[in-house]
Every structure is written in structure tokens, then in C-alpha cells.
Amino acid sequence: MTDAVLARVYHQSDLELLAKEASIPIVNGLSDDYHPVQILADYLTIQEHYGHLKGLTISWIGDGNNVLHSIMLSAAKFGMNVHIATPKGYEPNSTVTAAAKQFSKESGTKLLMTNDPLEAARGANVLVTDTWVSMGQEEEKKKRLQDFKGYQITMQTAKLAAPNWTFLHCLPRKPEEVDDEVFYSPKSLVFQEAENRKWTIMGVMVSLLTDYSPQMPRPTF
């Protein structure tokens, strides 16, 4: 009854079962493991701002979650370096980490993993974070807020970043993750990023359902 489905699920296995049994394209709108459409929107936003992706450094400061997993599995393929800071015990999935290390090696890019937010921010072009308490983790909120102390992105964090730094967050944002000074600053691209999700999803649907070919020159990654 439909031509395609964009599914937001908890378990990645549910999405994979849906894709296996369906006769139409199934798009991952979000799962516990990955959030690929969000990352495509992020890359579109970065491309629009800097004019390229290759050579940039993305700094992730926060939880080792689904958004980070999608960054780790894609950034090196576009020639981007990735710095990751997570509290101990909140590191990204080990399988994803192993794959990211291999992609980084093949692409000649840098993958830095640390528990120090300031180390991860050093020299970064794009500072990124996300919620510390994802859907289904509400009962862990008190402990998580304690464990993530010191991980809030502030102008002090940004002082270590590259002079042309920008900030991304897939929203909704909470003040403990990033303070108002950064979130509402001219360096913040969060509202362009949010709009670009719409265009990204439309682009994914068009590419899946038609023989679409770009009408403009392909961007420089």
C-alpha cells in the first residue's frame, strides 16, 4: 500500500527483519544502533557551510550512541577525521569501533578516542553532541547526568577548536549538553541542520524511487 517506509525503531534487528520481509525500500529513520539519515543531513549542513568535507575534523563529545556510530562508519569515507570523547563505560560499540579504525586506515584519516572532552575538541572544525539520555534510558537519567559531568560544550571547550569551528546537535537539546552561549551563537548550525533533515529525507526517497540524476555538479567532498 506504500512505495517506501522510513521506520524509527528501538532494535536494529526489527528494522532488518522489516527490510528482509518487505518488497519496498526500508529506510532507517533511527534505531538503537544507527541514525544514518541524521548524519546525511549533518554532512549536507557541513558541506553547505565549508564548501567541502575532506580534511575537516569532527569532534564528538558525549555518549557513544547511534548518532556517533553513523558518524564513525561514514566520516572517513568522505576524508574526515574524527575525535571522540566519551565517559568511561559509555564508549561506542566495539564492532563499530573496529570497522571505523579500518575505514580510517584505508582513507588515511585520523580516529582519536579519549575520555577527555578537551583533548577531543583540540583542532576540531565541527563540535557535535547529542542527548545524554536517549529514549528508553529515562531510568538511568540521574546516574548519566552524574557520569557526564564535565562534558558540556561551552566556549571554553571551543577555545581549543579550530578558529572556524561550528556546532551541531540533532535536537532536542538540553542545557547540560551545550550551554546557551554556544547553542545560540553564530557558530551554531543547529537550525540549518534541522531543516536539512527534510531535504535529506526527500533526497533519499527520490533516489530510491526514481532514476534521478543530479541536475547540478556534484559537490566537492
Side-chain angles (χ1 to χ4, degrees), residues 22 148 203 206:
F148 279 84
V206 167

Side-chain angles (χ1 to χ4, degrees), residues 46-106:
I46 296 169
Q47 169 76 29
E48 288 177 336
H49 182 81
Y50 292 99
H52 63 96
L53 299 180
K54 189 174 182 179
L56 296 177
T57 296
I58 296 178
S59 173
W60 176 273
I61 299 174
D63 190 16
N65 65 11
N66 53 354
V67 179
L68 174 58
H69 288 165
S70 288
I71 291 175
M72 293 173 69
L73 293 178
S74 57
K77 297 178 181 181
F78 291 103
M80 291 185 284
N81 307 304
V82 181
H83 295 178
I84 300 167
T86 58
K88 290 182 179 179
Y90 294 90
E91 292 86 358
N93 177 279
S94 59
T95 301
V96 171
T97 299
K101 287 179 178 178
Q102 182 61 35
F103 294 147
S104 182
K105 181 179 179 181
E106 292 170 358

